[in-house]
Amino acid sequence: MYGGRTRFRVVPWIRISITVITAGSIAAAAYFYQQEGLTWISAFFMGFSMFGAAGIVESFSMYILLGETEIRFRETFRKTAIPKSDIVKVTWEAGCGVSLLLSDGTWAKVPDLGQNSRGLTNSIRSWLRDT
């Protein structure tokens, strides 16, 4: 059994940032609505707050899980599972993040959770070597 880290989540500072920005947007929307009624400024902040709320939900639901026989991840409200046997190699590049080369020749992008790309790549490589 692979003895390294098997679960990766969005780093806390990203979650905190999204939450603070969303709270600020809600406060601005309430302020402008109370002062001037429904204007384009208050509507903008209301819409921005809704996107922020979706961002908060997404940041708390994203993960990468290295299971016994497959890698599972969730991003953009979509789950993906790739069997360990289908992964040929894992690599990363600056600006591209971590990617998996699959046995059919296609590439699968691993979600960016704010983790160190090199460390995540090394964890996945170690997991792949484990039999």
Side-chain angles (χ1 to χ4, degrees):
M1 173 69 193
Y2 170 68
R5 189 169 167 198
T6 59
R7 188 166 182 85
F8 300 86
R9 306 284 301 192
V10 174
V11 293
W13 70 267
I14 292 176
R15 290 181 183 170
I16 292 167
S17 298
I18 293 170
T19 304
V20 167
I21 291 168
T22 302
S25 297
I26 292 168
Y31 173 79
F32 286 113
Y33 184 77
Q34 186 178 29
Q35 294 298 316
E36 303 169 13
L38 185 60
T39 63
W40 72 270
I41 295 174
S42 60
F44 168 79
F45 281 113
M46 287 177 194
F48 197 75
S49 299
M50 286 187 255
F51 280 115
I56 291 170
V57 170
E58 176 67 7
S59 72
F60 278 90
S61 64
M62 290 175 64
Y63 65 84
I64 299 170
L65 181 63
L66 304 176
E68 289 281 330
T69 59
E70 65 186 6
I71 182 172
R72 288 180 281 171
F73 45 88
R74 181 163 192 241
E75 178 185 36
T76 321
F77 303 105
R78 185 179 64 225
K79 292 180 182 179
T80 304
I82 301 172
K84 197 176 197 180
S85 59
D86 287 355
I87 302 171
V88 176
K89 78 174 191 175
V90 60
T91 187
W92 73 276
E93 288 186 27
C96 295
V98 180
S99 298
L100 305 172
L101 177 61
L102 304 179
S103 57
D104 63 0
T106 60
W107 288 90
K109 183 184 177 306
V110 176
D112 182 11
L113 306 178
Q115 305 283 340
N116 179 325
S117 293
R118 181 178 292 180
L120 180 58
T121 300
N122 289 338
S123 292
I124 295 173
R125 279 185 187 141
S126 178
W127 170 77
L128 283 171
R129 283 188 210 117
D130 183 50
T131 55

